[in-house]
Amino acid sequence: MNYVIVIEYLAVIVSAIYGVLLASRKGMDVMGVFAVSFAVAFGGGTLRDLFLDRTPLFWIGNPHYPMIVLGIAIFSGFLVRYISRIRPLLVFPDALGMALFTLTGTAYAMDAETGFFVAALLGVITGTFGGVLGDVICNEVPSLFIPSPLNATCSFAGAWVYLGMTQLEILHPFALVSGIAVIVLFRLAAVRWNWCFPAVREPAAPVDP
Amino acid sequence: MNYVIVIEYLAVIVSAIYGVLLASRKGMDVMGVFAVSFAVAFGGGTLRDLFLDRTPLFWIGNPHYPMIVLGIAIFSGFLVRYISRIRPLLVFPDALGMALFTLTGTAYAMDAETGFFVAALLGVITGTFGGVLGDVICNEVPSLFIPSPLNATCSFAGAWVYLGMTQLEILHPFALVSGIAVIVLFRLAAVRWNWCFPAVREPAAPVDP
Amino acid sequence: MNYVIVIEYLAVIVSAIYGVLLASRKGMDVMGVFAVSFAVAFGGGTLRDLFLDRTPLFWIGNPHYPMIVLGIAIFSGFLVRYISRIRPLLVFPDALGMALFTLTGTAYAMDAETGFFVAALLGVITGTFGGVLGDVICNEVPSLFIPSPLNATCSFAGAWVYLGMTQLEILHPFALVSGIAVIVLFRLAAVRWNWCFPAVREPAAPVDP
């Protein structure tokens, strides 16, 4: 499982940076930035650990994670000045964080001997919940739930790629990297070419605000 | 506990259908519909299992549940076309789902040897949390919390009916069905005749939106 | 740990009263008031117990807690009539509840042998989450996250004071009371003199509502 921990480190860092960019656009102070980064970086993995009854929680068992997030939040003033010029890139840490966390969720679920379907589902929850939580705290409607470029679908696809490759007894790190690559590329393509599912049905006439 | 599992199956199906109707009115795509159905169907039971430290979570231990919800979401396009004509009936799956989940929450809490009061409370949480979560995701103010037809109160009453009947050593399935019937009928009556509690106090003059 | 339980009792009562004041200003009925009081009083401690895998949850293991909150909600009509004249005092039960819960969170985390940093963090989460949840249910933007008088920072400071004093082998009850006093005084001073962190960065031009 060593590779999974490397991936988790990366996922925490990338998600925290995404959280900083999200929060700073809302005029938050350093404590708000820390809270949003914390929620984005640890929300998905915390749900995963609670759902699978893993103890201690990954960020309690590894205190470096919250320290890293605190460090990123403290230096967010500098970060934001340089990173915000490249605003369009916000989509990349988002996609990468989702991909990395999806794979940790799927891998830990298989460790806990859930079936494939539940493992893929836990991957999606781990991968997307942090971003949803960040949106909710920042008072934005979670883009996950309205017709918008594919998101959870990419995560789901990558989880199945990983699961399939482990069944074919392909080397574990290679299966992990393939799953991540599928998610990131699928997500970037979906954003680039605006791949969406249609609405199941036209919304009721006077749409609620 | 066999009867409780039958009830849980029904609760998941009915709640997922309620979730589909809720989400489709907001113009969501199939993934959004799945997410809302998932939240409505599993939100209450997941909190129950986490609070009572039951492992594995009911939808992880029984992967048929999420598969059923996925199936309902995939065919929601068809479902919505036919069911939406009978819009007023939205209140019925809502009431039934609440009733069924309330009883599973109360029954599992008694299994875990909590007292009666906490068991009834866990029934209410299990029964109402899914609906609240669905409302929150769909960006509606949870009707549970503002003066509106009685809701959690019906759930609470039914939980006590069930607890009382089990104490009187009435047959378990009969106690379950009685509790469910009390909740559904009480809730439908409350909606029909608009039974509300008054506000504790007039809201402050310029009411927040 | 006896002192921590006394503190927990106080924290529940004070937080429930804060919840009543918060909910009654929104025109909620008695069930809504109960739900908000419940969320404010038990939200932080429930997260703490789930994160530390403590079972049973503190309000399941001690059914007096939810009964007290129910009693406070039932008599909230009376409470509100007399307490609401002293509206400005809303800030005091808020500060005291945050302080008391922060200390229980930090103390229980040290019991579970987390490191100091995670213990202080769990203190802050325990202390502030109930209030955030109450704000979210009442549809207010959590003041915790926008530039406003210091809040989580006070909680964090008090947790470190407590941790430092226990390391210096100062008597446990004295360390607890010192931590609480630091948080309450720091918070009241922050509100009185409007101590804020600046925004990390100006918000994007057309600020979302």
Side-chain angles (χ1 to χ4, degrees):
Chain A
M1 290 302 288
N2 262 336
Y3 297 100
V4 176
I5 285 174
V6 172
I7 303 248
E8 205 171 62
Y9 258 99
L10 271 176
V12 165
I13 293 171
V14 164
S15 302
I17 290 174
Y18 175 73
V20 163
L21 295 178
L22 194 67
S24 65
R25 282 165 53 188
K26 291 285 175 176
M28 290 195 179
D29 62 18
V30 69
M31 195 47 101
V33 168
F34 177 52
V36 173
S37 304
F38 194 93
V40 174
F42 299 139
T46 300
L47 264 198
R48 175 198 67 205
D49 288 353
L50 290 176
F51 285 1
L52 293 173
D53 204 30
R54 292 171 60 89
T55 50
L57 293 191
F58 75 115
W59 55 270
I60 290 180
N62 186 342
H64 293 138
Y65 289 156
M67 286 176 191
I68 289 171
V69 174
L70 181 62
I72 290 175
I74 288 175
F75 292 104
S76 57
F78 298 90
L79 256 176
V80 161
R81 195 161 307 158
Y82 295 103
I83 293 187
S84 64
R85 301 212 183 133
I86 41 178
R87 172 86 54 92
L89 287 194
L90 194 58
V91 75
F92 184 71
D94 186 26
L96 187 59
M98 181 174 79
L100 297 165
F101 269 128
T102 299
L103 271 289
T104 70
T106 309
Y108 286 141
M110 288 309 291
D111 263 18
E113 303 192 345
T114 67
F116 291 123
F117 181 66
V118 167
L121 217 50
L122 274 166
V124 174
I125 291 172
T126 309
T128 59
F129 184 72
V132 169
L133 202 59
D135 280 344
V136 167
I137 293 177
C138 290
N139 211 15
E140 306 222 11
V141 178
S143 58
L144 192 64
F145 299 133
I146 49 176
S148 57
L150 298 177
N151 195 329
T153 311
C154 311
S155 166
F156 203 57
W160 281 108
V161 166
Y162 165 75
L163 288 170
M165 290 178 84
T166 53
Q167 286 310 298
L168 297 173
E169 313 228 342
I170 287 165
L171 276 181
H172 194 229
F174 188 65
L176 280 172
V177 169
S178 305
I180 292 166
V182 165
I183 297 176
V184 170
L185 294 177
F186 192 0
R187 169 69 181 157
L188 292 181
V191 170
R192 173 68 185 77
W193 289 288
N194 204 30
W195 294 342
C196 302
F197 283 124
V200 165
R201 171 168 175 276
E202 292 306 298
V207 182
D208 301 47
Chain B
M1 292 301 287
N2 262 335
Y3 297 100
V4 176
I5 284 172
V6 173
I7 303 246
E8 206 170 62
Y9 258 100
L10 272 175
V12 166
I13 293 171
V14 163
S15 302
I17 291 175
Y18 175 73
V20 163
L21 295 177
L22 193 67
S24 64
R25 282 165 54 186
K26 290 287 176 176
M28 290 193 179
D29 62 19
V30 69
M31 196 47 104
V33 168
F34 177 53
V36 173
S37 304
F38 193 93
V40 174
F42 299 138
T46 300
L47 264 198
R48 175 198 68 205
D49 288 353
L50 290 176
F51 284 1
L52 292 174
D53 204 29
R54 292 170 59 90
T55 50
L57 293 191
F58 75 116
W59 56 269
I60 290 179
N62 186 341
H64 294 139
Y65 290 155
M67 286 176 192
I68 289 171
V69 173
L70 181 62
I72 290 174
I74 288 175
F75 292 104
S76 58
F78 298 91
L79 256 177
V80 160
R81 198 162 306 157
Y82 295 102
I83 294 187
S84 65
R85 303 216 181 128
I86 41 179
R87 171 87 54 90
L89 289 193
L90 194 59
V91 75
F92 185 71
D94 186 28
L96 188 58
M98 180 173 81
L100 296 164
F101 269 128
T102 300
L103 271 289
T104 69
T106 310
Y108 285 140
M110 287 308 291
D111 263 18
E113 304 192 343
T114 67
F116 291 124
F117 180 66
V118 166
L121 217 50
L122 273 166
V124 174
I125 292 171
T126 310
T128 59
F129 185 72
V132 170
L133 201 58
D135 280 345
V136 168
I137 293 177
C138 289
N139 212 14
E140 307 221 11
V141 178
S143 59
L144 193 66
F145 299 133
I146 49 177
S148 58
L150 298 178
N151 196 330
T153 312
C154 311
S155 167
F156 202 57
W160 281 108
V161 166
Y162 165 76
L163 289 170
M165 289 178 84
T166 53
Q167 285 310 297
L168 298 173
E169 313 227 343
I170 286 166
L171 277 181
H172 194 228
F174 188 67
L176 280 172
V177 169
S178 304
I180 292 167
V182 164
I183 297 176
V184 170
L185 294 177
F186 192 1
R187 169 68 181 158
L188 292 181
V191 169
R192 172 70 185 77
W193 289 290
N194 203 30
W195 294 343
C196 301
F197 283 124
V200 164
R201 174 166 173 277
E202 293 304 301
V207 182
D208 301 49
Chain C
M1 292 298 288
N2 262 335
Y3 297 101
V4 175
I5 284 172
V6 172
I7 303 248
E8 205 172 61
Y9 259 100
L10 272 175
V12 166
I13 293 171
V14 163
S15 301
I17 291 174
Y18 176 73
V20 163
L21 296 177
L22 193 67
S24 64
R25 281 166 53 188
K26 290 288 175 173
M28 289 195 179
D29 62 19
V30 68
M31 196 48 102
V33 168
F34 177 53
V36 173
S37 304
F38 194 93
V40 175
F42 299 139
T46 299
L47 264 199
R48 174 199 67 205
D49 288 353
L50 290 177
F51 285 1
L52 293 173
D53 204 29
R54 292 171 60 90
T55 50
L57 293 192
F58 75 116
W59 55 270
I60 290 180
N62 186 342
H64 294 138
Y65 289 155
M67 286 177 192
I68 289 171
V69 173
L70 181 62
I72 290 175
I74 287 175
F75 291 104
S76 59
F78 298 90
L79 256 177
V80 161
R81 196 162 307 157
Y82 296 102
I83 294 185
S84 64
R85 302 214 182 131
I86 41 180
R87 172 87 54 92
L89 288 193
L90 195 59
V91 74
F92 185 71
D94 186 28
L96 187 59
M98 180 174 81
L100 296 165
F101 269 128
T102 299
L103 271 290
T104 70
T106 309
Y108 285 140
M110 288 309 290
D111 263 18
E113 305 190 342
T114 67
F116 291 124
F117 180 66
V118 167
L121 217 49
L122 274 166
V124 174
I125 291 171
T126 310
T128 58
F129 184 72
V132 169
L133 202 58
D135 280 344
V136 168
I137 293 177
C138 290
N139 212 13
E140 308 220 11
V141 178
S143 58
L144 193 65
F145 300 134
I146 48 177
S148 57
L150 297 178
N151 195 330
T153 311
C154 310
S155 166
F156 203 58
W160 281 108
V161 166
Y162 165 76
L163 289 170
M165 289 178 83
T166 53
Q167 285 311 296
L168 298 173
E169 312 227 343
I170 287 165
L171 276 181
H172 194 229
F174 188 67
L176 280 173
V177 169
S178 305
I180 292 166
V182 165
I183 296 175
V184 170
L185 295 177
F186 192 0
R187 168 69 181 157
L188 293 180
V191 171
R192 172 70 186 75
W193 289 289
N194 203 29
W195 293 342
C196 301
F197 283 123
V200 164
R201 173 166 173 278
E202 292 307 300
V207 181
D208 300 50

